[in-house]
Amino acid sequence: MADAILGHAVAPVPGLAARAARTGSSPVRDILALTARPEVISFAGGLPAPELFDAEGLAAAFQHVLAEDPLRALQYSTSEGSPALRAAVAARTTARGLATDADDLLVTTGSQQGLTLLAGALLEPGDVVLVEDPCYLAALQIFSLAGARVVPVPTDDEGLDPVALDEITARERPKLLYVVPTFQNPTGRTLSAERRAAVAEVAARRGLWIAEDDPYGELRFEGEPVPWIASFPGAEDRTALLGSFSKVMAPGLRLGSLRAPAALRRACVIAKQAADLHTSTVDQAAAARYLAVADLDAHLLRVRDAYRERRNALVDGLAAALPEGSRWNRPAGGMFVWATLPAGYDATALLPEVVRHDVAYVPGAPFFAGPPDATAVRLSFVTHSPEEIREGLGRLRKALEGGAAARLSAGGVRGPSGVP
């Protein structure tokens, strides 16, 4: 039709930017779409338990701001964010051991946006970003879209290896290190105070920024809190601390915070103006009201108690659910358990059989910026009750047995015993 109307050939539209073409969809989001059926017991997504949301308290907060000050709550706002919400976040951050003023903070549309703003403010195409290996998937997407070159830093059962960090920093001359030091996604690991101090020292001596992401820090079930990297000598002037309300209030609010040194924070404000002008005014007002009148700490006690019970149900049931020779950790908080199947198993190849049994996990391979571990699996324990978790583990056992048997009979990889 266009050819006939214009009387000449129509040229194709230009292609996508290279960074958009090379950045794939999140495997976690894709798996969630496949497992949305209500009969599926999913260990895949890090979805907070909806029955634990303080829906009544949040509804009251929204009702209050819409009844008492609707014109302000529904109007445009400043890019930096609500002064009342920033003051409340600053008070909570200070109470957790890092002295913070409201003016140190920028309210973001989830901590995810905070990391995107940091990437826009700090990174030129080709700049090197260091990440834990394995790493939070969405961070890898953000850095890919920024045109950065991502270099993995090895980890062990205690998290990021500071010695390897120093060696790689000397060789690669990175601009930024991204780290989730407390109950890391995907592994659930927590970096010790000694390692955090070492990370801060490397950053100060070698000259690089740190993006410290802390969405899970308030979900501690046992043990003592570990200070933020931002509080250690050498890190104070070079650390951006990302926070989130998604895990402690509700993810649907899409509220987060960014604490950063003044010059970097100003650059992030400009990046935010270009992205969305400001975060939802009414959501910020309701969150500030909620923090002023509700007892978030008491709410978190209930959440932690429930999540601890669910963590126990998952970890205690893995010995019967996974093949002999599997390994897994027991995180002291957060939302995730990291497991590895015996050599020869492929968690990605087994996933279709697992889903056919109405259960799901996330294969660990996509989380790696370096060579992937095909045997790795991320399991989230927060979404389902202990009873559902035990049922899901029973389904998982049958699925893994059936999937491995089918592959072995077809001449595939060897099982844990080494018998083909």
Side-chain angles (χ1 to χ4, degrees), residues 70-143:
L71 301 185
R72 184 187 300 272
L74 298 173
Q75 185 55 280
Y76 283 116
S77 185
T78 60
S79 298
E80 290 80 358
S82 156
L85 182 57
R86 284 187 288 141
V89 174
R92 292 187 66 82
T93 306
T94 300
R96 292 177 63 194
L98 185 62
T100 302
D101 293 327
D103 289 342
D104 297 329
L105 297 167
L106 167 65
V107 175
T108 60
T109 306
S111 62
Q112 184 86 0
Q113 186 191 52
L115 186 58
T116 302
L117 299 179
L118 285 173
L122 288 174
L123 300 177
E124 303 283 358
D127 280 344
V128 174
V129 176
L130 302 185
V131 300
E132 302 159 292
D133 206 29
C135 175
Y136 174 48
L137 268 176
L140 297 177
Q141 287 182 306
I142 288 170
F143 299 139

Side-chain angles (χ1 to χ4, degrees), residues 92-93 96 98 111-112 115 136 178-185 189-190 196 211-220 225-230 239-248 255-257 334:
R92 292 187 66 82
T93 306
R96 292 177 63 194
L98 185 62
S111 62
Q112 184 86 0
L115 186 58
Y136 174 48
Y178 172 74
V179 61
V180 185
T182 305
F183 314 134
Q184 193 239 16
N185 183 356
R189 298 165 180 162
T190 294
R196 295 178 192 222
E212 181 176 11
D213 202 352
D214 185 40
Y216 312 106
E218 292 190 276
L219 299 180
R220 176 174 286 278
V226 187
W228 282 299
I229 295 173
T239 302
L241 177 64
L242 298 163
S244 174
F245 283 108
S246 293
K247 312 304 186 293
V248 299
L255 290 174
S257 63

Side-chain angles (χ1 to χ4, degrees), residues 26 38 52 55 61 75 80 89-90 93 97 141 143 160 164 194 204 220 232 269 287 335 340 368 391 404:
S26 165
L52 297 177
Q75 185 55 280
E80 290 80 358
V89 174
T93 306
Q141 287 182 306
F143 299 139
L160 181 143
E194 292 75 16
R220 176 174 286 278
F232 283 89
V269 169
M335 303 175 72
T340 52
F368 287 87
E391 169 63 25

Side-chain angles (χ1 to χ4, degrees), residues 130-134 151-155 160-162 164-166 168-169 177 369:
L130 302 185
V131 300
E132 302 159 292
D133 206 29
V151 175
V153 179
T155 63
L160 181 143
D161 180 350
L165 171 66
D166 190 29
I168 293 170
T169 301
L177 165 68

